[in-house]
Amino acid sequence: MDDGLGEIQRSATLAEQVYDRLRRGLLRGQYKPGEKITARRLARTLGVSPTPAREALTRLASEGAIEISETRSFLVPRLTRQRYLEISEIRKLLEPHAALLAAPKGGAVFAARLDKLNERMKAGNLSEDFDAALELDSEFHLMFYARAASPVLTRMIDVLWLQVGPMRTLLPHVFRKSLTGYRNHLAVIEAVRARDPQGASNAIQKDLSDGIEGLLAALDP
């Protein structure tokens, strides 16, 4: 299976590079809940030996982003409904706050970058290339939150996204084709263009609420 991560250049910090690539894949929903990840397969995909791949997987397991089964296999977690709701409530506190900080640092140029991602996401959903669209949605959010220039806040958001990123692949196709996220992003972009912190925060809050509601419909009671 091709994980779509691409090979990496050799250096003295291979384990760190593998960790960063795998982490990015989890953040962007490139892995499915319950998927098994072996050090050997990961090493083959990235063109490294199994040792740095295993080190990266172990590190992510210590952060709660990867589970280790009874047979010592590495698995992408499938969150329970209760766990997903708990994380979602925290996200509703942190991400709108990141939007408050990021919007004043926006403007027309940054808004245009977000708009380009959003239009590509729309095209992906309409053509039913849902995996690509989900990656673009993730890139939209993470790029925007990084604009807040708050490393501690960004790190906290990343930790939560590591856990929910794979779960977002369960969003029903009917929800994605409804373009609800696309329209919410338009409101975010307009607020960024106007450097309107409250408008951006409100738009992110709505986008989160809509996405969470859409995903809950696909989870077991």
Side-chain angles (χ1 to χ4, degrees):
M1 173 183 173
D2 182 2
D3 292 310
L5 299 178
E7 290 194 5
I8 61 178
Q9 299 299 314
R10 294 187 177 277
S11 76
T13 57
L14 284 176
E16 185 71 26
Q17 291 185 64
V18 174
Y19 168 83
D20 287 342
R21 293 296 180 91
L22 183 54
R23 190 174 185 276
R24 186 170 65 187
L26 291 166
L27 284 171
R28 297 187 177 190
Q30 291 179 358
Y31 293 95
K32 305 290 191 295
E35 183 175 346
K36 181 179 179 180
I37 306 177
T38 67
R40 188 174 301 277
R41 190 188 79 185
L42 183 62
R44 185 170 58 250
T45 299
L46 297 178
V48 299
S49 71
T51 298
R54 192 174 296 109
E55 290 177 7
L57 286 164
T58 301
R59 180 177 172 185
L60 284 163
S62 72
E63 296 177 352
I66 295 287
E67 290 180 346
I68 302 179
S69 71
E70 295 179 357
T71 59
R72 306 301 296 173
S73 298
F74 295 98
L75 299 173
V76 179
R78 182 184 177 98
L79 302 180
T80 64
R81 187 183 185 91
Q82 180 179 357
R83 179 71 169 169
Y84 177 72
L85 283 171
E86 180 183 4
I87 293 173
S88 296
E89 288 305 309
I90 301 172
R91 290 181 63 204
K92 288 179 181 178
L93 296 174
L94 297 182
E95 293 178 39
H97 183 64
L100 280 171
L101 300 178
K105 301 178 178 70
V109 174
F110 186 60
R113 290 173 61 192
L114 293 175
D115 188 56
K116 184 176 181 179
L117 287 173
N118 197 38
E119 292 301 324
R120 289 171 60 199
M121 185 190 79
K122 175 185 177 182
N125 280 325
L126 289 178
S127 66
E128 300 190 1
D129 189 355
F130 298 121
D131 288 345
L134 184 61
E135 286 190 45
L136 290 163
D137 177 71
S138 300
E139 188 173 350
F140 179 98
H141 282 269
L142 296 174
M143 180 190 293
F144 181 41
Y145 301 150
R147 195 74 169 187
S150 177
V152 174
L153 178 59
T154 301
R155 177 64 180 175
M156 293 171 70
I157 291 172
D158 279 359
V159 168
L160 297 176
W161 270 65
L162 278 174
Q163 298 178 64
V164 301
M167 294 295 291
R168 296 174 70 238
T169 64
L170 302 179
L171 274 168
H173 290 177
V174 65
F175 174 83
R176 302 195 207 190
K177 293 198 73 171
S178 72
L179 300 183
T180 299
Y182 168 78
R183 288 191 294 272
N184 287 334
H185 287 182
L186 290 178
V188 174
I189 292 165
E190 184 56 38
V192 168
R193 186 175 289 109
R195 302 180 189 268
D196 173 11
Q198 193 57 57
S201 181
N202 292 344
I204 286 292
Q205 186 73 255
K206 185 177 186 308
D207 192 39
L208 282 174
S209 296
D210 289 344
I212 290 165
E213 183 178 346
L215 182 51
L216 283 173
L219 298 183
D220 296 331

